[in-house]
Amino acid sequence: QVQLVESGGGLVEPGGSLRLSCRASGIIFSIYNMGWYRQAPGKDREWVATISSGSRTKYADSMKGRFTISRDNRKNTVYLQMNSLKPEDTAVYYCNANLPHTDNHAWGQGTQVTVSS
């Protein structure tokens, strides 16, 4: 049974930083592409960043230069370092695991990030 557990969300002031973590179990973590998505109130879920099984990274344009996705296969964990946070980054952030070349996706329960003064 696949389980993804996010942590690290919270309240931060504009310009601040947070690091989200997502620990996976029930999968061979190293072969999965891992990603982060977010959903703000009243909006659709949007893609934030992806790191492939080979550690290639991709980012949504609005996150480039501010967010960094990384993974530690020894710990079955993917991270999202978020810097220079803006109020519009406020959302629930979700971890995603995708088996490459398939429609096999798993989701975490989400972690709330609130950027406010």
Side-chain angles (χ1 to χ4, degrees):
Q1 181 178 351
V2 180
Q3 190 172 18
L4 302 175
V5 180
E6 300 101 332
S7 61
L11 174 64
V12 63
E13 293 185 348
S17 298
L18 281 175
R19 188 176 83 153
L20 306 183
S21 300
C22 170
R23 190 173 191 285
S25 59
I27 59 173
I28 304 173
F29 180 79
S30 62
I31 69 172
Y32 275 71
N33 296 331
M34 300 299 297
W36 288 95
Y37 291 71
R38 70 185 186 184
Q39 188 166 17
K43 295 187 177 181
D44 293 334
R45 188 173 297 189
E46 66 171 338
W47 169 67
V48 173
T50 300
I51 185 165
S52 73
S53 58
S55 293
R56 288 175 294 177
T57 59
K58 293 182 179 180
Y59 299 91
D61 286 344
S62 60
M63 287 61 155
K64 285 180 182 177
R66 299 191 301 125
F67 291 8
T68 302
I69 189 170
S70 61
R71 65 191 296 159
D72 186 339
N73 289 343
R74 297 167 301 174
K75 297 182 178 179
N76 285 7
T77 300
V78 61
Y79 304 97
L80 185 68
Q81 177 68 44
M82 305 186 295
N83 299 327
S84 302
L85 283 162
K86 307 174 182 180
E88 52 264 42
D89 294 317
T90 295
V92 178
Y93 283 71
Y94 296 91
C95 178
N96 173 268
N98 170 232
L99 188 62
H101 311 299
T102 76
D103 290 331
N104 184 331
H105 289 266
W107 294 92
Q109 83 288 350
T111 185
Q112 176 71 47
V113 172
T114 302
V115 185
S116 175
S117 55

